[in-house]
Amino acid sequence: MYSQALSYLRSVTDKTPEVGIVLGSGLGSLADRLSDPVFVDYGDIPGFARSTAPGHKGRLVFGTLSGKTVVCMQGRFHYYEGYSMQDIVFPIRVLKLLGIKALIITNAAGGVNTSFSVGDLMLITDHINFLGINPLIGPNAEEFGPRFCDMGKTYTPALRELAKKVASVCGLTLKEGVYIACTGPSYETPAEIRAFRTLGADAVGMSTVPEAITASHCSLPVLAISLITNMAAGVLDQTLSGEEVIEIGNKKAGELQALVKEVVHEL
Ligand code: HPA
């Protein structure tokens, strides 16, 4: 199936992206800033599932950003939508086969660390997989990587340093921390958030971890950044809603987009 997806994409565009960018909830508009864009709906790509999450468009966008050829996933697949782990990470392997040399992952997340505020950007330094499942379960795809894959430097130190340097040059504050992934779709309870804080998590979300594991498996350097769209359950006395997440995503997307754009420039 990977080769069918690849041949289809090669038949649509001869662009050979150097960087892959996964755009999270409310953050998809970065793809609208690419020059010479080529849009490919997920539904047209052999092997791709369809994206149903609100705030996610469901297409690949090839184009030029900061003078480099990139491919954006405008919309991703989440476990809570009912997809299998294989469906969720299929696009990451296709991007690897397209020749990307680095993967930039963005997401909307809830702030677990009480020193964070809504609208903060957080560089992911590491993750806790609380999904209860791993995308590498099943026969190992030897052509991508080893059966037992190291996760010690999944969030590539050199890319993290670069992001921090770029953020400081752009005058953006970049927090750092550990991302914990839960399946959703219900938000967490206040007790869960307290437990996650004890475990060492700084932000919580429903994505990213399967993609980062799969990228690590195929030796793809990863840079991942969360936009804190809300404080996690129980931190503030407020009700959590998906609309709020998308609204803050849209409002604050500019800063994250500026950061990604400059990072791509410096890669
Ligand atoms: N929890 C889980 N996922 C999220 C949150 C949250 O508080 N905010 C944005 N995505």
Side-chain angles (χ1 to χ4, degrees):
M1 219 41 174
Y2 294 110
S3 60
Q4 279 164 270
L6 194 63
S7 345
Y8 175 74
L9 291 170
R10 292 252 153 93
S11 76
V12 174
T13 174
D14 57 7
K15 290 183 194 292
T16 50
E18 292 173 62
V19 184
I21 307 171
V22 183
L23 299 170
S25 302
L27 301 168
S29 59
L30 177 68
D32 302 329
R33 291 168 58 162
L34 304 188
S35 36
D36 303 321
V38 173
F39 301 95
V40 191
D41 284 341
Y42 292 161
D44 293 336
I45 310 172
F48 268 58
R50 256 150 263 236
S51 173
T52 70
H56 289 253
K57 273 207 170 113
R59 61 187 184 180
L60 288 185
V61 188
F62 293 80
T64 308
L65 184 70
S66 305
K68 295 207 167 68
T69 304
V70 303
V71 57
C72 292
M73 282 184 67
Q74 203 174 29
R76 56 148 63 89
F77 302 110
H78 303 82
Y79 198 48
Y80 65 74
E81 293 173 273
Y83 296 116
S84 67
M85 277 287 146
Q86 280 64 37
D87 280 342
I88 293 166
V89 301
F90 184 86
I92 304 300
R93 286 180 167 167
V94 172
L95 298 195
K96 167 78 179 181
L97 293 173
L98 279 169
I100 63 166
K101 300 288 177 284
L103 181 68
I104 300 178
I105 305 179
T106 67
N107 63 48
V112 173
N113 184 324
T114 52
S115 78
F116 289 177
S117 308
V118 170
D120 278 351
L121 296 178
M122 186 193 89
L123 181 62
I124 300 182
T125 55
D126 205 346
H127 76 222
I128 298 172
N129 180 5
F130 210 75
L131 296 169
I133 191 166
N134 187 301
L136 303 178
I137 289 173
N140 183 47
E142 286 294 329
E143 65 278 31
F144 288 102
R147 168 78 293 184
F148 301 105
C149 108
D150 181 69
M151 293 291 292
K153 292 192 175 138
T154 296
Y155 300 91
T156 313
L159 292 180
R160 278 156 48 193
E161 284 312 309
L162 175 64
K164 287 201 272 186
K165 194 187 93 193
V166 165
S168 102
V169 170
C170 297
L172 294 171
T173 305
L174 192 54
K175 303 278 171 72
E176 289 183 62
V178 172
Y179 176 95
I180 187 165
C182 294
T183 64
S186 54
Y187 286 114
E188 303 69 34
T189 63
E192 285 166 344
I193 295 301
R194 284 193 301 276
F196 294 166
R197 197 173 295 125
T198 306
L199 289 178
D202 297 288
V204 59
M206 304 175 191
S207 67
T208 300
V209 163
E211 297 150 359
I213 292 172
T214 304
S216 212
H217 180 246
C218 65
S219 309
L220 201 48
V222 172
L223 174 68
I225 302 168
S226 293
L227 171 61
I228 305 299
T229 51
N230 58 280
M231 292 310 290
V235 175
L236 305 172
D237 187 16
Q238 64 179 153
T239 306
L240 300 182
S241 78
E243 288 76 31
E244 174 195 39
V245 167
I246 291 170
E247 187 191 315
I248 300 288
N250 287 332
K251 235 193 242 164
K252 282 281 175 177
E255 280 188 16
L256 182 49
Q257 289 172 4
L259 183 62
V260 169
K261 195 167 171 224
E262 279 312 301
V263 166
V264 168
H265 184 257
E266 297 296 319
L267 275 175

